[in-house]
Amino acid sequence: MSFAKTFEHNQALFHAALQEFSGAGYEQASINIILKHAGMSKGQFYYHFKNKQDLYFALIEILITRKQAFLAGVMQAEDFNQDIFTIFKTQIRHGIAFAKAHPDIHAFSESFLREKGNTIYEAVMARFNFENDAALSQLIENAYQRGEFQEYMPLSFVKKTIGYLFAHAADLTDLPDDDNAEENLDRLVDFMKTGLARNPSPSAE
């Protein structure tokens, strides 16, 4: 059983870590406070986790898995019959719905984005390699096979470009302090479409 699965099974630890990291930020977050609220001993904690960073990684892994499961549950088969840029916008809407339905997770996500410039932010970006997400890569490959991108653009370039833009969406859209997140993320997708799509047309939305 992985650290993340072990962690998820202890709901008290999950919620205690979520609240402490969200409220205090990574550097100021206290393992002692987390363990106190979780009702867990240091011995139990260090049996499963090496240190605070290991705990943080496990928490992020769980949150990614939960969001992916949510999207898998709400995305319909017909959604994937649309062009890739429409699929992206549909996923963005569902992602924002997920954030609204889980304010504690959303608060943690915002706290993570504020870590930009800190060592932990770079460690997370390196650990999870968001620019090379497997599900996103498969969507792009499918769209490439359907001829949705400019024919002169190599698949590798399209993947790297879209992966980079999504991985750095927080910088480009002023997240987490953006009150118009969906609108601005839609603009980012329109930007991708204008530069990458074969015969791009103005957004109908």
Side-chain angles (χ1 to χ4, degrees):
M1 182 177 291
S2 72
F3 285 160
K5 289 181 179 179
T6 301
F7 183 21
E8 188 170 19
H9 289 166
N10 189 324
Q11 289 298 309
L13 177 59
F14 174 84
H15 290 296
L18 201 64
Q19 291 177 6
E20 178 66 5
F21 283 123
S22 298
Y26 178 79
E27 286 298 331
Q28 297 302 316
S30 168
I31 292 296
N32 289 334
I33 291 176
I34 291 172
L35 296 183
K36 178 180 178 181
H37 288 296
M40 176 180 282
S41 70
K42 287 188 176 181
Q44 289 174 311
F45 174 80
Y46 287 110
Y47 178 79
H48 294 294
F49 303 100
K50 297 176 183 177
N51 48 37
K52 183 164 68 172
Q53 178 175 285
D54 205 26
L55 172 65
Y56 199 76
F57 283 171
L59 181 58
I60 290 179
E61 184 179 341
I62 290 169
L63 298 183
I64 291 172
T65 299
R66 288 192 175 187
K67 184 174 182 179
Q68 288 174 338
F70 176 86
L71 290 176
V74 296
M75 291 289 290
Q76 303 297 314
E78 55 267 27
D79 292 329
F80 293 99
N81 293 329
Q82 305 296 321
D83 69 272
I84 191 170
F85 303 102
T86 301
I87 293 173
F88 288 160
K89 289 189 176 185
T90 300
Q91 290 180 326
I92 287 168
R93 286 194 292 274
H94 288 315
I96 290 175
F98 175 79
K100 290 180 179 178
H102 302 279
D104 54 344
I105 294 177
H106 181 59
F108 175 82
S109 298
E110 289 187 326
S111 74
F112 168 68
L113 292 175
R114 293 191 182 96
E115 297 289 350
K116 185 171 175 59
N118 296 332
T119 302
I120 189 60
Y121 184 91
E122 300 304 324
V124 169
M125 296 300 284
R127 167 70 173 78
F128 292 97
N129 197 12
F130 294 114
E131 291 186 30
N132 293 302
D133 178 76
L136 176 60
S137 180
Q138 188 60 59
L139 282 176
I140 295 171
E141 287 181 16
N142 293 342
Y144 197 86
Q145 292 174 1
R146 294 193 300 267
E148 294 183 11
F149 299 109
Q150 297 280 4
E151 60 274 11
Y152 64 86
M153 292 186 177
L155 176 59
S156 60
F157 173 81
V158 174
K159 283 186 176 182
K160 289 178 181 179
T161 300
I162 294 177
Y164 181 88
L165 289 173
F166 274 132
H168 296 273
D171 300 326
L172 299 169
T173 59
D174 296 324
L175 295 173
D177 301 315
D178 189 350
D179 294 328
N180 302 298
E182 181 175 349
E183 180 181 352
N184 286 328
L185 287 170
D186 278 353
R187 287 197 186 104
L188 181 61
V189 173
D190 287 336
F191 174 78
M192 296 179 192
K193 184 174 183 178
T194 299
L196 298 173
R198 182 179 295 186
N199 301 320
S201 58
S203 173
E205 299 183 11

